[in-house]
Amino acid sequence: ENILYATTTFGQNEPDGRGSPSGADMSMYIKQQHQFVKSLSSNVRDQLVIRPYPNHCHGQKQREQFESLMLKLKFDDNKYLVDSLLKSRLVVLDNIQTIFFEVIAYGVPVMVFHDESMWEFNREFSSICEEMKKLNMLHTSPESIAKFLSGIVDNIEGWFNTSEVQQLVERLRSK
């Protein structure tokens, strides 16, 4: 079993204001993806498998950008996302979009990091995000999630199966 980092990417020429990184924010978003990988301890990085965005054009470029970090990274080439999710001890995401809710539905441990200035949520979900932060399910920087993950890598299930995290997971499933 591994730790799956499932990434997202968007074109740098897409319009701003979609509620997700686009236009000028894209280079910062990619930089944060790389900072996450570079911030991981070698023990965690050895267990990490990166799943680039599946779009051929963006995904290939994204893989090449990760490879340029010269960190001997592993990549997930599985055609079916669900197979990769179900084989993972933990899924790390850099955003809260559809895949986040899919991982929650499958019951796979999940953590997210994202820059709050790039992602906008309605008031109700923003309050859930605050709860996620308190339980270390959501981090606002790549360094924060890397540090937390290094501390629990040998007991991810212990963290994820606490009653507080499981109560939140059940609330998210009911949404």
Side-chain angles (χ1 to χ4, degrees), residues 149-162:
L149 185 50
S150 291
I152 66 154
V153 70
D154 293 326
N155 192 17
I156 292 169
E157 297 77 15
W159 161 76
F160 190 71
N161 290 322
T162 62

Side-chain angles (χ1 to χ4, degrees), residues 37-85:
V37 173
K38 292 190 294 188
S39 297
L40 292 171
S41 66
S42 59
N43 177 40
V44 175
R45 197 177 309 122
D46 288 345
Q47 297 176 55
L48 188 73
V49 176
I50 299 172
R51 183 178 178 92
Y53 189 73
N55 175 296
H56 174 69
C57 202
H58 293 304
Q60 183 60 36
K61 182 177 180 184
Q62 197 177 30
R63 182 179 181 138
E64 291 168 2
Q65 290 171 335
F66 277 114
E67 288 172 339
S68 75
L69 299 176
M70 309 297 280
L71 294 172
K72 297 181 182 176
L73 301 170
K74 295 176 278 192
F75 293 89
D76 177 30
D77 294 318
N78 192 331
K79 183 177 179 180
Y80 301 104
L81 173 62
V82 68
D83 293 342
S84 297
L85 295 176

Side-chain angles (χ1 to χ4, degrees), residues 22-175:
S22 57
D25 289 335
M26 217 33 227
S27 61
M28 178 58 74
Y29 180 64
I30 292 167
K31 183 178 178 180
Q32 289 175 351
Q33 290 177 334
H34 296 175
Q35 190 59 42
F36 165 66
V37 173
K38 292 190 294 188
S39 297
L40 292 171
S41 66
S42 59
N43 177 40
V44 175
R45 197 177 309 122
D46 288 345
Q47 297 176 55
L48 188 73
V49 176
I50 299 172
R51 183 178 178 92
Y53 189 73
N55 175 296
H56 174 69
C57 202
H58 293 304
Q60 183 60 36
K61 182 177 180 184
Q62 197 177 30
R63 182 179 181 138
E64 291 168 2
Q65 290 171 335
F66 277 114
E67 288 172 339
S68 75
L69 299 176
M70 309 297 280
L71 294 172
K72 297 181 182 176
L73 301 170
K74 295 176 278 192
F75 293 89
D76 177 30
D77 294 318
N78 192 331
K79 183 177 179 180
Y80 301 104
L81 173 62
V82 68
D83 293 342
S84 297
L85 295 176
L86 294 175
K87 291 178 185 173
S88 300
R89 292 178 53 219
L90 172 72
V91 175
V92 176
L93 304 170
D94 54 30
N95 63 78
I96 299 175
Q97 292 189 20
T98 305
I99 189 173
F100 172 76
F101 294 99
E102 290 173 333
V103 175
I104 290 291
Y106 289 127
V108 177
V110 61
M111 281 184 208
V112 181
F113 70 94
H114 74 151
D115 182 332
E116 293 178 300
S117 68
M118 289 187 214
W119 300 91
E120 298 175 23
F121 300 110
N122 65 35
R123 188 173 29 239
E124 180 186 358
F125 196 76
S126 290
S127 69
I128 292 172
C129 287
E130 290 304 314
E131 190 173 346
M132 289 172 62
K133 286 183 214 173
K134 290 176 188 169
L135 298 173
N136 289 300
M137 187 182 278
L138 174 62
H139 295 260
T140 57
S141 76
E143 297 85 1
S144 170
I145 195 170
K147 182 178 179 181
F148 181 73
L149 185 50
S150 291
I152 66 154
V153 70
D154 293 326
N155 192 17
I156 292 169
E157 297 77 15
W159 161 76
F160 190 71
N161 290 322
T162 62
S163 62
E164 296 87 359
V165 171
Q166 284 302 300
Q167 287 173 8
L168 178 57
V169 166
E170 287 306 315
R171 280 185 54 212
L172 289 164
R173 279 188 184 134
S174 70
K175 292 286 174 200

